[in-house]
Amino acid sequence: AVGGLPFTGLAAFSLFALATSVFSALNEGELRQRRVDLESLVAMGTRLDDEGDPFRQASSVLEGLADRYAFPRGIALGVVDDGMVVLGSLGLPDVAARTAVAVDPILERAWETRSPIAVRRFDASTNPALAALMPQRGRVIVAPMVADGRPIGALVLEHPGKAPGVERRVMSVVAQAAGMAALNFRNSVLLRRVQDLAEHDALTGVANRRSFQETLERVVAVAGDLRDTVAAVLFIDIDDFKIV
């Protein structure tokens, strides 16, 4: 015995003290990571709120997640009437924005479950569209973007490192980023539709007087700064146009 405490009790006490200190250190480290995660999400949300273009919003989300978790490659996809399009890409120079993409089963499953899915790699036989966009990519996260109960798009990110699986904390942050992006994408699309209605004739789709006025002001402003540039307006009058 040492100081009246048996050796077995001393060993148990030492192990308990060591475990407590390790647990406290892990808790502090986890809290620190979660605080940085929250700060990254807040900064990302601020950038999204300040940007109204969905393509630039997509790039902002991908870059923000890459800065936080060092994702080497990723794609942001948006739903359109006849499928999907690429809104932005990260580390994939051959994948251009506005590229049409078919809807793979894993995307439909992510929308249905409304939670991110982690896979080792995309099988070309079951998910051909994503396998073509991100060939030979290991540990990929597919995060659905859903707003108002409808699919808006998806974030597809390659996770770095060789360790199996993806941390639950990382999956949670990616899911929250996808949710924020979905709301902003929806709002930007709605805003664009309202602008189109305000600037185009509802019957013909042709730019109306307001759109012409704004375009003319931009052209005149640019031409005023360039001495060698000539700006002109061609006026065509069609008799009884309203009858036509």
Side-chain angles (χ1 to χ4, degrees):
V2 177
L5 185 67
F7 279 114
T8 54
L10 179 62
F13 178 78
S14 300
L15 288 174
F16 175 76
L18 178 62
T20 302
S21 63
V22 170
F23 181 74
S24 299
L26 287 175
N27 271 350
E28 290 178 3
E30 184 177 355
L31 287 173
R32 193 160 45 244
Q33 287 182 332
R34 290 188 179 278
R35 184 170 61 248
V36 177
D37 289 341
L38 181 58
E39 291 172 353
S40 299
L41 285 170
V42 170
M44 195 182 307
T46 302
R47 289 195 298 269
L48 286 174
D49 290 340
D50 293 339
E51 181 56 69
D53 181 77
F55 295 96
R56 288 195 288 269
Q57 286 178 345
S59 297
S60 179
V61 172
L62 292 173
E63 291 169 1
L65 290 172
D67 289 342
R68 178 67 187 103
Y69 298 112
F71 292 126
R73 282 166 286 273
I75 301 173
L77 301 171
V79 173
V80 293
D81 294 336
D82 54 351
M84 304 187 75
V85 296
V86 175
L87 296 174
S89 64
L90 172 74
L92 296 167
D94 295 334
V95 179
R98 295 180 172 83
T99 299
V101 179
V103 178
D104 282 342
I106 193 171
L107 293 170
E108 295 179 340
R109 183 153 57 96
W111 289 331
E112 183 179 352
T113 60
R114 299 192 182 183
S115 60
I117 300 173
V119 295
R120 291 291 298 175
R121 61 176 51 85
F122 294 122
D123 186 349
S125 62
T126 54
N127 296 292
L130 293 177
L133 289 173
M134 300 182 69
Q136 303 301 322
R137 306 303 182 197
R139 292 208 305 161
V140 183
I141 303 172
V142 179
M145 294 192 293
V146 180
D148 298 332
R150 296 187 300 111
I152 301 296
L155 296 178
V156 184
L157 300 158
E158 180 186 356
H159 195 281
K162 297 181 179 180
V166 180
E167 292 182 58
R168 183 179 300 178
R169 178 179 58 85
V170 176
M171 295 282 280
S172 175
V173 173
V174 170
Q176 293 179 66
M180 287 194 310
L183 292 174
N184 280 272
F185 289 160
R186 180 206 60 183
N187 293 339
S188 63
V189 170
L190 291 175
L191 177 61
R192 181 165 293 185
R193 288 178 180 173
V194 171
Q195 290 174 338
D196 286 342
L197 290 173
E199 296 175 357
H200 294 80
D201 179 75
L203 177 62
T204 64
V206 176
N208 59 18
R209 180 175 296 184
R210 174 182 174 182
S211 178
F212 165 76
Q213 184 70 28
E214 293 179 351
T215 303
L216 180 62
E217 290 175 356
R218 287 197 299 268
V219 172
V220 170
V222 173
D225 297 332
L226 302 175
R227 295 182 179 180
D228 298 333
T229 300
V230 176
V233 175
L234 177 64
F235 179 79
I236 301 175
D237 184 26
I238 300 177
D239 293 337
D240 298 323
F241 177 70
K242 290 186 177 181
I243 297 177
V244 174

